[in-house]
Amino acid sequence: MSAKHFINDPTLLVNSALQSLTLTNPSVALDAENKIIYRRPSNEPSQVSIISGGGSGHEPSFGAFVGAGLLSAAVAGTIFASPSAEQVRKAITSRVDTDKGILVTVMNYTGDVLNFGMAVEKAKAAGLKVEMVVVGDDVGVGREKGGKVGRRGIAGTVLVHKVAGALAAQGRSLEEVFHVAKLTAANIVSVGASLDHVHVPGRAVPNAHSPDSLQPGQVEIGMGIHNEAGSGRAKVQLPELVSTMLSQVLDQNDKDRAFLNVNSNEVVLLVNNLGGVSVLELGGITTEVVKQLGSWGIQPVRILSGTYMTSLNGLGFSISLLNVVNTDIGGPSMIELLDYPCEATGWAAPIQKTTWEAKNTATREDTAGSDQSIKPSGLKADASTFSRTLASGLQAIVAVEPEVTKYDTVVGDGDCGIGLKRGAEAVLKHLKEKPTTGDVVVDVANIVTVVEKEMDGTSGALFAIFLNALVHSLRVLSPGDASPQIWAGALKQSCDALSRYTPARPGDRTLVDALYPFVEVLGKTGDLKKAAEASKKAAEETKGMAPSLGRAVYVGGTGFEQVPDPGAWGLASFFLGLAGIRPDEEGWEAI
């Protein structure tokens, strides 16, 4: 791999690259603090805003796709790392127009889905109309290996951006843009290949002779855009390589990868440069791909060849096929939307002369969102009872921390108990400093801010998504009295919202194992104590349950046979505390 760079400081590299976008396209601005590229405000009619983003290193995705007819804003993380939920929330609430609604599109990577998802739920809780589409177009990792995580998102994502952006520019509704974006994402298959891994500026240079390094002449087939492994390695020439790649996206007999039957009369081909292939060689690759598609009976109606989504200077390429289908909204068609003019430096369309001459210097500097007070909902509960009950549950988390930490040292990295305790203590402090109001939407929303600030990692993101969804669900069910049935209904809706951002379900040995039974029993009985006992029983049953998700999958060993899931045990302890069940009651320490 090439480890030589003109800019070796990764922070300077990302920040200066983002700044360059405002130099090459005067219609976009940069929120440098939050690494958001966004369209400058103008007098043009309001439309549905399209927001995307992800880790840096994939340029021109995503910042260079911001412009008229494409994205409204793009949020950047550090190299190959998701932006934070707060960055995304800022983009949604204060860097785009919100009156017609917002569509958030994100590639299927855990960090991106969780952080963008958390921001979406927070925006919904604040009353904004937001939808989210997760794109997973890669077939390089099949069903068996991909499991619950599913297909990765790669270059086909830009076709979703182009179609959705064009439709939004034509003034169509959020419902229509969301529908067509999902439809487009569901009709794309992609696969990549590379001759080498890439080197991230600022990191140590890997040993070229290690088993992980590609040897001379080897190709990684199905390689992802973050150096991830694909389906295998081989020493092949281009014709054989292209044949293998097309088989993976088109062969309906390959049940592990037959994600889509490309059977439309109209197919769009995208040949994408991963960053290090010369323009000359990419032309030769494109010719080979088009020639071999003919043997499959496919004559693409549109051929896009160029650099759309990279892996830094990756010496590879990817092939994406869009199976053009009816949009079911009475027009325009997907092809018309792909052909629709746009003004973004990452796409083929040049910046228009009128934009350069406009000399628009307007920016967005407001800080809407985090500082705004939460509107009362009218959903009432006794403030002192609410505070006392919640404090009891939080104190139970603090008390059980040594036990949770002990379990997590066996099956994880030992930080679960500390993380839960830190969050619980922060909320207890908040309750002392800011008494509850008796409006449960206001009170829960105030707690969400504390959780987002104090709890990090995957569990922090999961709790934040769930609580933001709970705020939204409670507001929908307001006004009135916050009865057990109201709480159960809101909690059930929050579980449904959480399930959109994580594949975790009961039986996967996660905190979800303790959450779902609590919600189910509370809904059936309205009895908090019975619901807490059901949660405890489910947490106990995670002992011996093989993990399907989380760090325990990678730790390996037989530790899962000895202890329950730490997250589930901590959450069950919280529910027991809410119900007023003391640690010395029979059965508490049954494990």
Side-chain angles (χ1 to χ4, degrees):
M1 71 176 66
S2 173
K4 295 180 179 180
H5 310 284
F6 291 104
I7 303 175
N8 289 288
D9 180 342
T11 301
L12 173 62
L13 175 58
V14 171
N15 292 341
S16 57
L18 289 171
Q19 183 65 43
S20 76
L21 296 175
T22 68
L23 305 176
T24 55
N25 185 350
S27 72
V28 303
L30 169 64
D31 174 350
E33 180 183 356
N34 294 289
K35 294 198 280 289
I36 302 169
I37 294 289
Y38 62 93
R39 290 183 62 189
R40 296 181 186 274
S42 68
N43 295 323
E44 295 176 8
S46 182
Q47 63 168 70
V48 171
S49 293
I50 314 289
I51 297 176
S52 190
S56 295
H58 304 306
E59 291 72 32
S61 293
F62 299 87
F65 289 132
V66 175
L70 234 159
L71 298 181
S72 307
V75 193
T78 55
I79 296 176
F80 291 174
S82 168
S84 71
E86 177 57 19
Q87 288 175 262
V88 182
R89 186 201 64 79
K90 180 72 73 171
I92 294 173
T93 59
S94 63
R95 295 297 179 262
V96 299
D97 294 326
T98 60
D99 56 317
K100 300 295 185 183
I102 304 109
L103 175 68
V104 174
T105 63
V106 62
M107 297 193 296
N108 188 28
Y109 296 98
T110 301
D112 291 322
V113 173
L114 288 175
N115 283 301
F116 278 79
M118 188 196 311
V120 166
E121 290 301 326
K122 191 165 184 65
K124 287 182 177 179
L128 295 182
K129 193 174 182 182
V130 190
E131 297 290 358
M132 178 164 147
V133 173
V134 178
V135 183
D137 55 314
D138 186 17
V139 305
V141 176
R143 289 184 174 88
E144 182 176 349
K145 189 175 179 180
K148 289 194 172 185
V149 175
R151 297 158 65 190
R152 303 174 298 202
I154 56 175
T157 306
V158 302
L159 300 176
V160 179
H161 292 159
K162 182 64 180 68
V163 167
L167 196 60
Q170 295 178 37
R172 304 303 282 263
S173 68
L174 176 60
E175 291 75 16
E176 291 173 313
V177 176
F178 177 48
H179 166 76
V180 174
K182 284 195 301 180
L183 188 65
T184 305
N187 278 278
I188 299 173
V189 281
S190 303
V191 67
S194 183
L195 293 169
D196 208 349
H197 292 127
V198 299
H199 174 255
V200 178
R203 296 184 187 175
V205 180
N207 182 357
H209 301 291
S210 73
D212 293 332
S213 297
L214 284 160
Q215 301 307 307
Q218 272 192 325
V219 180
E220 182 90 49
I221 303 171
M223 180 181 279
I225 56 174
H226 308 97
N227 275 336
E228 309 102 321
S231 57
R233 296 178 176 181
K235 289 190 175 184
V236 292
Q237 297 299 311
L238 179 65
E240 185 180 351
L241 172 62
V242 170
S243 176
T244 300
M245 295 171 73
L246 290 180
S247 292
Q248 289 191 354
V249 297
L250 293 170
D251 186 2
Q252 293 301 295
N253 294 318
D254 182 357
K255 298 307 179 185
D256 195 39
R257 288 186 175 80
F259 293 101
L260 175 68
N261 184 10
V262 181
N263 57 1
S264 172
N265 292 326
E266 295 183 313
V267 174
V268 174
L269 167 66
L270 168 65
V271 181
N272 173 62
N273 186 351
L274 286 174
V277 177
S278 70
V279 175
L280 179 67
E281 194 167 17
L282 190 68
I285 292 168
T286 302
T287 297
E288 183 64 34
V289 173
V290 173
K291 181 174 71 174
Q292 292 200 28
L293 279 174
S295 65
W296 289 88
I298 296 174
Q299 301 294 330
V301 295
R302 296 289 187 278
I303 299 171
L304 305 174
S305 178
T307 305
Y308 293 87
M309 182 177 291
T310 62
S311 178
L312 292 171
N313 59 343
L315 191 55
F317 67 96
S318 61
I319 301 169
S320 299
L321 295 176
L322 169 61
N323 193 53
V324 177
V325 295
N326 193 318
T327 58
D328 298 323
I329 59 170
S333 69
M334 287 183 179
I335 295 297
E336 290 173 322
L337 293 169
L338 285 172
D339 289 342
Y340 192 80
C342 68
E343 195 174 35
T345 55
W347 199 256
I351 306 302
Q352 296 179 10
K353 179 174 179 287
T354 53
T355 302
W356 288 104
E357 294 176 346
K359 301 185 184 302
N360 185 348
T361 59
T363 62
R364 297 183 190 269
E365 302 295 342
D366 58 282
T367 58
S370 58
D371 297 331
Q372 291 183 341
S373 60
I374 301 157
K375 294 179 181 179
S377 68
L379 188 61
K380 297 295 184 180
D382 181 76
S384 61
T385 302
F386 178 88
S387 182
R388 186 172 60 252
T389 302
L390 179 58
S392 177
L394 295 167
Q395 289 160 0
I397 290 179
V398 175
V400 84
E401 178 272 319
E403 204 171 352
V404 175
T405 297
K406 180 176 68 175
Y407 297 157
D408 199 38
T409 56
V410 176
V411 295
D413 54 9
D415 67 348
C416 181
I418 297 297
L420 290 174
K421 180 182 177 182
R422 183 170 60 248
E425 289 178 336
V427 176
L428 284 168
K429 180 182 178 183
H430 165 79
L431 292 175
K432 287 182 180 179
E433 296 175 349
K434 189 172 183 179
T436 51
T437 66
D439 186 304
V440 295
V441 170
V442 173
D443 293 334
V444 175
N446 285 329
I447 291 168
V448 172
T449 304
V450 180
V451 171
E452 290 176 344
K453 182 178 179 181
E454 299 295 335
M455 295 189 69
D456 53 12
T458 298
S459 60
L462 292 173
F463 281 119
I465 288 175
F466 184 84
L467 290 173
N468 273 300
L470 181 59
V471 172
H472 175 66
S473 301
L474 288 169
R475 190 177 291 279
V476 170
L477 296 172
S478 64
D481 293 325
S483 65
Q485 287 71 28
I486 291 291
W487 278 106
L491 289 167
K492 175 61 171 64
Q493 291 178 33
S494 302
C495 287
D496 293 340
L498 183 64
S499 70
R500 293 196 289 271
Y501 305 109
T502 172
R505 300 292 184 275
D508 286 331
R509 189 184 165 91
T510 68
L511 60 85
V512 166
D513 286 286
L515 173 62
Y516 278 47
F518 175 84
V519 175
E520 182 180 356
V521 174
L522 184 65
K524 289 180 179 178
T525 67
D527 190 316
L528 181 59
K529 185 173 182 179
K530 288 182 179 179
E533 289 170 343
S535 175
K536 173 176 174 286
K537 180 176 182 293
E540 290 173 343
E541 290 173 352
T542 62
K543 180 181 179 182
M545 187 183 292
S548 300
L549 295 165
R551 195 177 300 276
V553 174
Y554 308 108
V555 171
T558 59
F560 68 87
E561 298 176 352
Q562 306 164 23
V563 299
D565 177 72
W569 192 247
L571 185 58
S573 300
F574 170 69
F575 291 143
L576 290 165
L578 288 181
I581 301 176
R582 299 187 305 276
D584 57 353
E585 292 190 24
E586 184 179 356
W588 172 275
E589 297 175 345
I591 298 298

